[in-house]
Amino acid sequence: MAEAVSWQAREGHLLCLRTRSRSWLDGVAPGLSSLQTSRFLRAGPALWMRLGPDEWWCWTSAGAACAARVRQSAGAQFHALLDISDAQQAFEIQGAVRDVLSQGCELDFERLPPDFAGRSRCAAFTVVICPQLGGTYLWVEASLARSLTQWLDQASRLRG
Amino acid sequence: MSGWRLPQGGRLINRDRALSFRFEGRPLQGFEGDTLASALLARGTAVVARSFKYHRPRGLVAAGWEDPCAFVEMQSPRAEPSVLATVEPLVEGLQARGQHAWPSLRFDFMALADRCSALLPAGFYYKAFKSPAWAWPWFERALRHAAGLGRLPDGAGQSDPSAYERRFVQTDVLVVGAGVAGLWAAHALAQAGARVILADDAPEPGGRGLDRPAGGVVDAWIAQTVASLDAMPHVRRWPSTQVVSRYDHGLCLAIDRSRPGHERLWRIRAPQVLLATGQIERPLLFAHNDRPGIMLAGAVTSYLHRWGVAAGRRMVLATNNDMAWTAAFEAHQVGIEVLAVADLRPQVHPQLTERAGALGLRVELGARVVAAQGRWALRSAVLQLASGQRLSVQADLLAVSGGWTGALALHAQRGGRSHYDATLHGMVPENDDAQVIGAARGAPGTPAALASAVRGAQQVASALGLRLPDLPVPAVPSEPSGFSATDLQHIGKGRVFVDWASDVTLDDLRLAHREGYESPEHLKRYTALGMGPDQGRISALHGAVLMAQLRGLSPGDLGPTRLRPPYTPMPMGAIAGADPGALIRPVRRTPMTDWHEAQGAVMYESGQNWRRPGYYPRPGEGLMQALERECRACREAVAVYDSSPLGKFEIWGPQAVELLEYLYTCRVSDLLPGRGRYAVMLREDGRVFDDGTVFRLSDQRWWITTTSAQAQAVHAALEAALQVHFKGRLEAFVTPVTDQWATLVVCGPRARELLQACDCSVGLSRGDFPFMAVREATLAGLPVRLFRVSFTGELSYEIHLPARQALALWVQLIDKGQILGLTAIGSEANHVLRVEKGFISVGHEVDGCVNPLDLGLAWAVRMDKADFVGKRSLERDLQAPAGRPALVGLLVERGEVPLEEGAQILKVDLDMDPRSALAAEQASAGFVTASVWSPSLQRAVALGLLEDGADRQGQTVWVTVTAPSGLARRPARVVPPVFVDPQGGRMRG
């Protein structure tokens, strides 16, 4: 019998940090300044994902503290820090995730580095995907969240 | 052809499971594992379809995708035309009928075309039917009825019972073809550690080995290799899966048909691809070579060994190569009477003649078939012997073989080059491309095929940085494999078919040559050679070689036309995959969409496919009544509108102002924190791209809004400006926040009262909070960003707040607003209100052709700025303003219905004679961009773009209207485009 697939919406704070000067980032989370694009690192309750050359997302249960830490570390360094918790809906998917996502996502899950977190496309959705957090985490624009669950529902019926 | 099922044998069938099916209404039986073709052949069915053009009866020619004739219309389990019987798996209850026949396969009215074939040469439709001109509609109807490949299913909207899906997969190596070469290469590479996908269109591995008697040396090796492959977790072995397309960057598409009724499209990313796609047999050219009962020699052995079916009882073999002799030997062994083996060559490998002699077969060297007789089934084949004598042989099966061509479609799709090999008389890939292996390379015989597999696998392993293990190559004895060329000489009288799928004859090729269509590309377009559903798999090389001969060139001077993807037809369902219906373009929902639906709103999808309310009909109300009520509420009391789809961006940075000055036509640098401005963006050509607002939240933080539809395009433009124009040097970041912030618009003369009732934390008086200002505030205890902007012309507040809190505030507003006469309004009312106010809308007035001056927005353009996108083009427009369209209002007489949106404004004066005006001056002077019934004015009003409209105020123009009699027109008066509150006192109040 095929492995079951399930998904759940997850709540948390999501911050978007933009900056070009990275030297101060280690003050936010050790190793953050050298984090490669499409990789993540954990720092306490925060999951930092580098999504572009000057873009980081922080998924955390302590948004205000994290934002304060960023502001403190940045000092006078130019940066932009926005709370986008309401802009994105997080999902945690458990089970035969690859089987389901392979119907819409072109990522090579077998060869992804263990600390992968990056933007991709899943069917008609632009998503941020982080497959190695116990379950697979996936962020999608909040307005598309219900459509994505419909797609997941359909894809899980067709798998195998 | 009188085929029959052998009492034993058939690698692919399960004789324990009989399946019932119907063909042309006739009940028949086959076995599990049969194709429709093998089951029909086993029941002695000679004719399975008619030909496309001449409607000649056609039987089975091949046993796979290369068959050019066996197209049937499936009736059950699915309705689908142009299904190839040779690859369609037999299932219980299958029903089908022969294609290109009406009313039936036996009695086909269109078979008259065959009798009139002399009048219907290639390209006849370019030359005929030119006169009388009045008859063309009749000709066209007749031609359309005759043309086409099969009939679409009856009943529009009939659902397709097949299941489709689409999947992505990645691998290191894709090996296409599971013959001995493909199997060896896949096994070796898998042993080396590569992830391997091995795809083959047959249900079992073995390639051409499946066409040989079971139990040989190769069979044992195949079984062992397959078992080893199946035991490796990094190997995917896909039977019944055909790789149909190959593109750049290692992308291949494959159709998995391993489960009947379920088709899966694989999108494979493979940095390395090995093509072990085998060869395709060519027919011979002679008069009436398309008769039912004439079959490729390789297909005869395929039907024998794969499905245990003998294709006839009395057989003649005609060939020009050694390999085809196997068909005669093996047919003889299963009890088919082999009457003659005719080989074009005067000498053949002695092994062949010795074996034929041992079996007692009559061999005629230097002999050729010159004619075939029998309309519904072969009766006889006429041979011309080496002595010149003619010999008529009574046979029901004529096995033919004109040589073999590498199946190089996937090679060609990636730009792989091929050339004509004079020894093999076929196309072979260029020497430097070792990714084509096995018979597809032209390797003669199994040992040579295996040798090429070793070379190909070594090259792939090297590219992947792997070391190939020392694997043994199965010891397979070599077999005779000589060829001779196909030629035009000594062909008897009668029609010789070169392309059976498109009914292209040798005479058609000669005609094309006489008329100058000599290149393979022109030949294809003129005669349709290679254009049929088989894409010329068995005919394209023949066509090119024959044209070369007609032109006095050597055979290799003209190659066949390029083979483009897909190699075989792909169902549209598989392309769409699992994203049917709404999921093809997913719907976006605002935080209030559930509420709107619960209230019974009529919902629309608009902008970036946002699901938003059009209007909220109450019981007994239609659109117009609901609109009237909603608009009146906004003009007379207060209304609330879900404007969450509005595009929103935050722009941060000390140099953000430079970015905005560059992108907007207005000045923004003079905005103080807390203030904003209406702003227009242009394209480089000076045409309006989008409009919205720009607000300064603080010294270095900005907030801009865009139209819903253009939000993504504006984001792209902002990033392009930052990264390309400013080369990444600006200290500014753009963050899209459309989904982060929901937008609730409270509008109407009592809007201020409603906000006060919701405990707004900031002063709302005109002095405290003027028009085009922004305030951070709390409302009903929730933090919000309040903007004073208006799209309705009324006192209006845009409330932006984090999306997860929006529904709570919306419900509070609805609740507190009841006492003030609040009504929720939809996009229909919003549209009416903005037309009354003369505000533009992207998609209506902004049609991609207008500049801001045309729209009366000169006040929003600062030509004294150093630069902005589109400025240079706008300066050019300013130098030649005459003839530009201008936004105008249009009024019809009171009591008349609204003009039609999109109606043309005619280039005539009212006092012109109507008949001459319509006849001579139908040129357009503009069009109606938006037209509504105005509840405020109690009359129909419209906006339009009218050539030199500013100078035509007060004039009456003619506007087209659709009428049962055709084009009609009605008058409208040109007026200023603002119908309500021209001074703007209400929205500024």
Side-chain angles (χ1 to χ4, degrees), chain A residues 85-86 102 106 108 154 160, chain B residues 168 170 195 264 269 578 804:
Chain A
S85 307
D86 289 43
S102 71
E106 202 171 355
D108 186 349
Q154 186 152 296
Chain B
F168 295 90
Q170 295 78 19
R195 290 187 302 174
R264 175 184 286 177
R269 288 277 179 192
R804 284 187 171 83

Side-chain angles (χ1 to χ4, degrees), chain B residues 152-201:
Chain B
L152 289 171
D154 294 334
Q158 197 175 32
S159 66
D160 181 351
S162 302
Y164 301 103
E165 61 172 307
R166 186 180 57 186
R167 280 172 187 262
F168 295 90
V169 66
Q170 295 78 19
T171 187
D172 299 325
V173 191
L174 169 65
V175 180
V176 186
V180 288
L183 277 170
W184 192 93
H187 191 224
L189 287 162
Q191 293 273 18
R195 290 187 302 174
V196 175
I197 291 175
L198 174 61
D200 191 281
D201 59 355

Side-chain angles (χ1 to χ4, degrees), chain A residues 4 14 22 29-30 35 39 42 52 58 62 74 76 91 113 118 123 132 134 150 155:
Chain A
L14 189 63
R22 284 184 285 150
L35 186 66
R39 298 286 195 279
R42 287 177 182 277
C58 177
F91 289 96
Q132 313 280 0
Q150 287 168 354

Side-chain angles (χ1 to χ4, degrees), chain B residues 428-446:
Chain B
V428 294
E430 295 290 342
N431 286 334
D432 57 352
D433 190 350
Q435 294 206 332
V436 182
I437 60 174
R441 264 212 92 69
T446 306

Side-chain angles (χ1 to χ4, degrees), chain B residues 18-51:
Chain B
L19 302 174
S20 300
F21 70 104
R22 283 177 178 268
F23 184 71
E24 290 283 318
R26 199 156 57 100
L28 298 166
Q29 277 204 328
F31 290 121
E32 186 179 62
D34 262 326
T35 61
L36 175 57
S38 66
L40 287 172
L41 191 60
R43 305 300 297 186
T45 306
V47 177
V48 295
R50 295 259 184 172
S51 69

